[in-house]
Amino acid sequence: MAQATHDTNEVPFSFDELFFSRTDEAGIIRFGNAVFQRVSIYEWDELLNKPHKIVRHPDTPRAVFHLLWDTIKGGWPIGAYVKNRAKDGRHYWVYAIVTPVEGGFLSVRLKPSSDVFKVVRQLYPEFSAMERQQKLEPGESAGLLMERIQGLGFETYTAFMTAALGKELAARDAQLGNPADPTLRHFDLLLDSARHLQIQAGRIIDAYKLNEIVPTNFRILASQLGQEGAAIGVISNNYAMLSEEMRGILETFVASAKDVEQAISVGYFMVSTVRVQRELVDYFVTESDSAANITEMDLLSRQRAAYIARAKAGLQEIGAKVAGFRQSCLELNRLATGLEVMRVIGKTECSRHLAVKDRVDKLLSDLQVFQRTIAGALREIESLNNTIEVETDLLIEQADAAA
């Protein structure tokens, strides 16, 4: 068994060991495997029909359990780092995947060792101490924990738990000498592409904000030229209408890019959960006191089948979100083309008015930079959309083959 070094206050278990427990809807332990019993150091009669918090360690923030219960009671799985306490007072760290099952919840745990875990290992005790010192309510504490997570570069908890699970599976493979999982590589590329989508969307938003006053400046020029500025006034009005339509699209543009990343995160977590569930079933049958438990094997197998279906649905959702985002890009490109037409017309018309030539040239130059920024960002986005679609199709093929 591959086993990491540990301090004397930590209960050892191996990277190739997976353990699980099943509770009812109130969190009362109804079943668990031999690894859970051994690592917790409790006898079975001390674990069964007892609240799962019997193994809770005070260093695990209450905010984590608040997020956990909110999520699983809503019918969704969640992943979380948890520091548990064994009967003898020692501790052990796990990355837990908690999923709703018929009549309660199932928690599958693996040994963490990634760089993300190293950050969490330092964060939890400090955060828990703050909770106690400030007597924070769980909901309030959860909000503060999310601020810490966002400070690590994750906008949502889904993004954090997904990245963490991917890192833990990759680190676990390395610890066990397993070949790198190509599925993790595909999803990491998807997430990287989704983040770049948001960067490019941000470029367009920033460029738009810098040019919001262009229609106003054109109107000012038109009014200064009086009757001679009538044509410029028409151009200004047309530009203003295009700009307003663009603003309406941009209001949902960044949100659409975020939707793509969220769909990828959900799909990543579901597919990774299926992998862990598959390994758990394989591990469970090797335990001498577990292989004969047909009821639990049936429950685990049924849940794995259900999560394979959810994982495939999650992958298909990525495609749907990309298609929606691509439509927004097409609309934006249409408007950017209209702006370029207005710029060319404006340049021709304004060349007749030498008195305002310098000011017009500056406005038209700014407008050209704006249009080129949009065009460049949209080209990058189209390339990223293509990458996401190709990678997603590959993952769907892999899911079909594994089903």
Side-chain angles (χ1 to χ4, degrees), residues 179 208 298:
Y208 176 82
D298 182 60

Side-chain angles (χ1 to χ4, degrees), residues 81-261:
Y81 289 101
V82 180
K83 184 178 184 180
N84 285 330
R85 181 163 59 186
K87 182 180 178 180
D88 65 359
R90 288 184 294 166
H91 67 269
Y92 57 97
W93 283 92
V94 297
Y95 184 90
I97 303 171
V98 187
T99 55
V101 294
E102 184 179 348
F105 308 103
L106 179 72
S107 175
V108 183
R109 275 108 59 202
L110 55 86
K111 189 179 187 69
S113 64
S114 75
D115 289 341
V116 179
F117 169 57
K118 293 172 184 175
V119 174
V120 170
R121 188 169 194 150
Q122 297 296 319
L123 169 66
Y124 271 22
E126 167 202 334
F127 196 89
S128 296
M130 182 196 69
E131 283 182 330
R132 291 189 292 271
Q133 182 181 9
Q134 298 184 18
K135 297 182 170 64
L136 297 175
E137 293 296 323
E140 181 184 9
S141 179
L144 293 175
L145 182 61
M146 274 308 308
E147 289 180 8
R148 295 288 188 96
I149 288 173
Q150 288 166 349
L152 297 175
F154 303 98
E155 188 166 349
T156 65
Y157 188 80
T158 299
F160 169 73
M161 72 178 189
T162 297
L165 179 54
K167 296 292 186 185
E168 292 307 336
L169 290 176
R172 182 170 178 268
D173 284 337
Q175 291 282 354
L176 295 173
N178 294 333
D181 185 342
T183 299
L184 300 181
R185 179 180 58 80
H186 286 305
F187 268 114
D188 286 340
L189 180 56
L190 281 175
L191 282 177
D192 185 63
S193 297
R195 293 185 186 111
H196 280 88
L197 278 184
Q198 294 190 56
I199 291 171
Q200 296 302 325
R203 281 183 62 200
I204 293 173
I205 292 287
D206 291 342
Y208 176 82
K209 289 178 178 177
L210 288 173
N211 287 272
E212 273 186 300
I213 63 171
V214 170
T216 301
N217 288 337
F218 267 117
R219 281 196 296 272
I220 292 172
L221 281 176
S223 66
Q224 289 175 346
L225 292 170
Q227 188 64 33
E228 293 182 2
I232 296 178
V234 172
I235 293 170
S236 174
N237 289 336
N238 289 337
Y239 179 83
M241 286 189 290
L242 286 173
S243 180
E244 182 64 20
E245 190 176 353
M246 180 175 284
R247 186 172 68 84
I249 291 176
L250 289 176
E251 286 178 354
T252 60
F253 192 67
V254 173
S256 295
K258 289 180 179 179
D259 284 346
V260 172
E261 182 177 11

Side-chain angles (χ1 to χ4, degrees), residues 53 178 187 277 317 364:
K53 63 183 180 183
N178 294 333
F187 268 114
Q277 289 174 335
E317 180 69 9
L364 293 175

Side-chain angles (χ1 to χ4, degrees), residues 256 259-260 263 313-327 388-389 392 396:
S256 295
D259 284 346
V260 172
L315 290 170
Q316 290 162 353
E317 180 69 9
I318 296 170
K321 293 298 184 183
V322 170
F325 185 60
R326 177 168 269 143
Q327 185 59 42
I388 291 172
E389 287 182 331
T392 301
I396 290 174

